[in-house]
Amino acid sequence: MAHAAQVGLQDATSPIMEELITFHDHALMIIFLICFLVLYALFLTLTTKLTNTNISNAQEMETVWTILPAIILVLIALPSLRILYMTDEVNDPSLTIKSIGHQWYWTYEYTDYGGLIFNSYMLPPLFLEPGDLRLLDVDNRVVLPIEAPIRMMITSQDVLHSWAVPTLGLKTDAIPGRLNQTTFTATRPGVYYGQCSEICGANHSFMPIVLELIPLKIFEMGPVFTL
């Protein structure tokens, strides 16, 4: 999860998030180079006497500053499209979880476990245990295995919500009357936090998401849901 004074993105817990962080760094380097070039040209303009009268007719320069931005856009667009298609891939998921957004809590359904359904509410401050996180911990966590493809089916029962877990690179809208899906494969165990990322009413800030990721062997031993 994020910590105080954090500048960069959260540590990746899925291959998709690793790709997103790599693309972020790639695009940031291009932005730095563009900013440096513009500042350097501005500095020369302010400090150099413009005595060359032929600069207004520099066809070669106009060609360069037309083609160069197009090349830069291609260098940004290609990896972006690659990641976009990767996020839409569904490769024979091992487990399917249905998440339903409400005002203001989440309902989860384990469709592969006989329709196990439970609600997940934010823990009030009076019920927090030592080590729990205020406004982020819930009474019932979603327990999932690592190193297995998971499919999330996401919808809403009332208004627009958004199911988002930054460390997994997930953010999918929950729309009433529509079933969206996303897939992920977690690479390391732990407890990971997210929140509703769509303004959904007065208590929008109080819809946390908590995933408890455990090794696949432990998950296969039996239900370990924190109900």
Side-chain angles (χ1 to χ4, degrees), residues 22-121:
T22 302
F23 174 70
H24 170 269
D25 297 339
H26 167 73
L28 201 60
M29 286 296 100
I30 294 177
I31 293 173
F32 282 156
L33 290 174
I34 294 174
C35 291
F36 176 78
L37 180 61
V38 171
L39 290 174
Y40 177 70
L42 183 62
F43 175 78
L44 291 181
T45 302
L46 296 175
T47 58
T48 305
K49 293 182 179 180
L50 301 178
T51 57
N52 190 351
T53 59
N54 295 323
I55 193 170
S56 60
N57 297 319
Q59 301 296 330
E60 295 82 3
M61 182 181 296
E62 292 182 2
T63 302
V64 170
W65 72 39
T66 301
I67 295 178
L68 187 59
I71 295 175
I72 293 175
L73 289 176
V74 170
L75 293 177
I76 295 176
L78 291 180
S80 176
L81 290 173
R82 172 176 170 270
I83 297 174
L84 182 63
Y85 280 101
M86 287 177 60
T87 58
D88 287 337
E89 291 182 357
V90 180
N91 297 321
D92 191 20
S94 301
L95 184 65
T96 299
I97 308 294
K98 185 177 181 181
S99 176
I100 305 173
H102 306 269
Q103 288 181 314
W104 289 270
Y105 63 95
W106 295 96
T107 296
Y108 296 98
E109 178 180 351
Y110 285 72
T111 58
D112 299 318
Y113 284 83
L116 174 64
I117 303 175
F118 61 90
N119 296 327
S120 181
Y121 291 88

Side-chain angles (χ1 to χ4, degrees), residues 50-219:
L50 301 178
T51 57
N52 190 351
T53 59
N54 295 323
I55 193 170
S56 60
N57 297 319
Q59 301 296 330
E60 295 82 3
M61 182 181 296
E62 292 182 2
T63 302
V64 170
W65 72 39
T66 301
I67 295 178
L68 187 59
I71 295 175
I72 293 175
L73 289 176
V74 170
L75 293 177
I76 295 176
L78 291 180
S80 176
L81 290 173
R82 172 176 170 270
I83 297 174
L84 182 63
Y85 280 101
M86 287 177 60
T87 58
D88 287 337
E89 291 182 357
V90 180
N91 297 321
D92 191 20
S94 301
L95 184 65
T96 299
I97 308 294
K98 185 177 181 181
S99 176
I100 305 173
H102 306 269
Q103 288 181 314
W104 289 270
Y105 63 95
W106 295 96
T107 296
Y108 296 98
E109 178 180 351
Y110 285 72
T111 58
D112 299 318
Y113 284 83
L116 174 64
I117 303 175
F118 61 90
N119 296 327
S120 181
Y121 291 88
M122 184 192 74
L123 280 177
L126 294 177
F127 292 89
L128 292 176
E129 299 290 339
D132 289 343
L133 300 175
R134 179 178 173 270
L135 302 181
L136 284 178
D137 263 303
V138 297
D139 54 356
N140 297 319
R141 296 175 175 176
V142 182
V143 181
L144 297 172
I146 64 172
E147 299 177 346
I150 308 297
R151 174 171 57 188
M152 295 295 303
M153 311 292 290
I154 301 167
T155 186
S156 173
Q157 196 173 20
D158 37 47
V159 299
L160 289 176
H161 299 281
S162 185
W163 198 85
V165 182
T167 189
L168 292 171
L170 299 177
K171 185 180 184 298
T172 304
D173 288 341
I175 303 173
R178 179 172 178 176
L179 194 63
N180 292 330
Q181 73 172 359
T182 185
T183 58
F184 67 93
T185 302
T187 55
R188 52 196 176 95
V191 179
Y192 302 100
Y193 298 88
Q195 288 179 302
C196 176
S197 297
E198 187 76 37
I199 297 178
C200 55
N203 293 329
H204 158 68
S205 302
F206 309 119
M207 288 185 64
I209 301 164
V210 182
L211 303 182
E212 184 173 345
L213 303 177
I214 61 176
L216 182 59
K217 291 183 178 180
I218 298 178
F219 186 85

